[in-house]
Each structure stands twice: as C-alpha cells, then as structure tokens.
Amino acid sequence: MYVELKNRVVLVTGGASGLGWATAQAFSAAGARVAIADLSESAARSRAEELGAGNLGLVCDVSDEQAVDSLVHSVVETLGSVDVVVNSAGIPDTFLPTVDQEVAQFRKLVDVHLTGTYMVSRAAAKHMLRQRRGVVLNISSIAGVMGLTPRNAYSAAKAGISMLTRTMGCEWIAQGVRVNAVAPGYMMTPFLQQLIDDGKLDAKRIFRRTPAGRFGTAKNIADAMLFLASDSAEFITGVTLPVDGGYMAWGAASDACAVE
Ligand SMILES: NC(=O)c1ccc[n+]([C@@H]2O[C@H](COP(=O)([O-])OP(=O)(O)OC[C@H]3O[C@@H](n4cnc5c(N)ncnc54)[C@H](O)[C@@H]3O)[C@@H](O)[C@H]2O)c1
C-alpha cells in the first residue's frame, strides 16, 4: 500500500510521543526514512533507533525560529531531502477561564502550535518548492472548529492551523506541494491521559458525546496521514479532515452514544 512513500524523507515534529510517534512508525513501515524532532534529544534519538538504521532523531523546539531552520537544514543534509512534514508538536491549554489565563501562557500556546506549524512548514517548503514535490501535514483539533470552552488559546491556535492549511495549500499546489490537516477528536495518547488524570476531562462524558462511543487511537491519525501523504490524495489540498468518531457531525441535544 502507498508504494510511492518508499524512501521518502518524512520529518515528524513532536515525533517522540503520541500521534507523532504513531505516524512516524506508520511512515517507517511504509518504507519511508523518518526524522523525529522533539524537545528531548535523547527521546527523539531513542525513537529513531527503535525505527532502525537510516532514521534520525533530532532536538528542536518548534517555537524557536533558528532551531527550526537548522532542523530542516540538518534533515536535508543528512537524509538528502524533506518530502513530507508532519507538524505534531503540541502542548495542552491550561483549562483556566479566559479572564484567568495568563497572556504569557496564551502566547506560548500560539507560539508552539500556530507559529511552530508555520515556521516548520515554511522552512520545509523552501526545499519542497525547489524540488516541486512535497506534502505538509498539520494537526488541528475538534477544538479548532467547535467551541470547547475554556480552551481559548489552544482553540484559537488550532483554528489558525486550519486556516494556515488552507492558505498554504492553495499557494503551493500548482508547484507540487500539498498542505492538509487532520482534526482529531479525543485520541488516546499521553497528552489525553494526562488531561484525564488531572481531572480536566471526563472519559465517560466524552464517550457519551462521541457517536463512536470511545476514544480514537493514535493509529487512526497515522492512517489518515499516510493517505493524505500518498498519491491517492494528489488533488486534495487545504482541507482539515475530521478524524473524530463522528464528534463534529453530531448536533442533537441527546447523548450520541449510550454509555453506562
Ligand atoms: N491526543 C488527542 O486527543 C489530540 C486531539 C486533538 C489534537 N491533538 C494534537 O495532536 C498533537 C500531538 O498530540 P499528542 O496527543 O500526540 O501529544 P503528546 O504529548 O503525546 O505528544 C506531543 C509531543 O510534542 C512534543 N512537543 C511539545 N512541545 C514541543 C515543542 N515546542 N517543540 C517540539 N516538540 C514539542 C512533546 O515533547 C511530545 O513528544 C498536538 O498538536 C495536539 O494538540 C491531540
């Protein structure tokens, strides 16, 4: 499946955990060479080692412009190209009411999610546009489409990622570079588990609100990423694809799923 992904160079930010790690594994299984970038160099390296020889683990804070430019430079120098970028680095919001949210925290969320996605995409696109081939894959959220109070900074940043996906997707497609995003619902990863453990999310209420009646898996996102990166999606650009078990499709006042 997706034989065209063989030997492609795929850069995954936030690739040491959760959705990024599952996506890195899926691309590796499809025969791609993967560069994993994350805040912890040792975590990124050990994940790359798990994938085997020919893969790369690099430290990078996606909110640092210089670090991002040097990350993309290192990937191209070491692996010879960058054909696909997966922008998966992310942090949760504080869940504080909007009037209690610190401006510094708001800025940090926008810096990591929105500006980080922009800077990594920009740096990679300079190379992709020269080779007239490339795919940028972003991660929005149901929170970027619907109002999930009180996640104000996270939601605004994710909505921004969907719009950035549209603008870049339209700007670059004629030159062979496509840009798409997924909007995950609630997917079981360390990020989600921590929010549940901290009492910020209630698993049963989420199950009742989700037509599928359960959390999604990281593999559900990885599978969507493979499709969007493949030639099967060659005429698809600028979209945000929900991968949410029907969460955003549901609009009735009753529960979407009977859960005890
Ligand atoms: N899990 C979900 O239910 C869900 C739902 C919607 C959207 N998302 C989004 O998916 C993305 C991945 O989330 P996840 O659930 O895999 O979380 P995760 O915490 O398991 O993984 C996120 C990774 O990003 C890294 N990271 C954080 N800040 C970074 C930075 N500044 N620079 C580089 N790396 C950084 C972390 O170290 C971690 O390895 C995030 O953008 C998140 O907002 C997740």
Side-chain angles (χ1 to χ4, degrees):
M1 207 174 173
Y2 306 139
V3 286
E4 66 276 21
L5 297 178
K6 196 168 164 47
N7 290 325
R8 290 278 193 266
V9 175
V10 182
L11 166 61
V12 185
T13 74
S17 178
L19 306 183
W21 171 230
T23 302
Q25 289 174 287
F27 276 105
S28 176
R33 290 171 296 148
V34 179
I36 289 178
D38 212 299
L39 285 177
S40 154
E41 183 165 19
S42 60
R45 280 195 179 174
S46 78
R47 288 307 202 189
E49 278 164 24
E50 278 185 65
L51 295 180
N55 302 290
L56 201 58
L58 296 162
V59 65
C60 179
D61 176 348
V62 297
S63 64
D64 176 336
E65 182 181 354
Q66 268 195 333
V68 165
D69 288 345
S70 98
L71 167 73
V72 172
H73 182 74
S74 299
V75 173
V76 174
E77 283 284 295
T78 314
L79 298 181
S81 180
V82 59
D83 303 306
V84 179
V85 162
V86 178
N87 284 302
S88 190
I91 50 173
D93 209 329
T94 56
F95 284 69
L96 288 171
T98 301
V99 291
D100 298 329
Q101 175 86 290
E102 301 277 346
V103 172
Q105 194 59 33
F106 188 98
R107 285 206 172 107
K108 182 170 185 194
L109 275 140
V110 172
D111 278 354
V112 171
H113 287 278
L114 179 56
T115 315
T117 295
Y118 161 66
M119 292 193 299
V120 174
S121 304
R122 182 183 72 152
K126 286 178 185 169
H127 177 81
M128 292 172 175
L129 291 167
R130 273 197 299 274
Q131 70 179 13
R132 297 190 73 80
R133 187 189 69 209
V135 177
V136 175
L137 298 171
N138 300 327
I139 304 196
S140 179
S141 168
I142 53 172
V145 181
M146 310 180 86
L148 267 60
T149 306
R151 291 195 255 175
N152 56 56
Y154 182 83
S155 301
K158 290 300 195 187
I161 287 174
S162 283
M163 184 50 75
L164 190 64
T165 299
R166 284 191 202 110
T167 57
M168 296 189 305
C170 294
E171 187 177 340
W172 296 335
I173 186 166
Q175 296 159 84
V177 178
R178 296 185 296 106
V179 186
N180 289 299
V182 294
Y186 293 94
M187 321 303 284
M188 185 37 76
T189 66
F191 178 105
L192 181 64
Q193 188 61 57
Q194 192 63 52
L195 293 174
I196 294 167
D197 293 347
D198 293 347
K200 289 176 173 161
L201 294 176
D202 177 335
K204 280 203 171 160
R205 288 177 78 171
I206 293 169
F207 296 159
R208 283 197 288 270
R209 174 61 185 73
T210 306
R214 60 174 176 82
F215 293 134
T217 65
K219 183 176 179 300
N220 295 150
I221 296 298
D223 287 341
M225 293 293 198
L226 284 184
F227 164 69
L228 289 170
S230 77
D231 291 350
S232 301
E234 71 164 9
F235 208 57
I236 301 176
T237 200
V239 307
T240 294
L241 176 70
V243 184
D244 65 354
Y247 193 95
M248 286 195 275
W250 182 254
S254 54
D255 287 347
C257 192
V259 173
E260 289 308 308

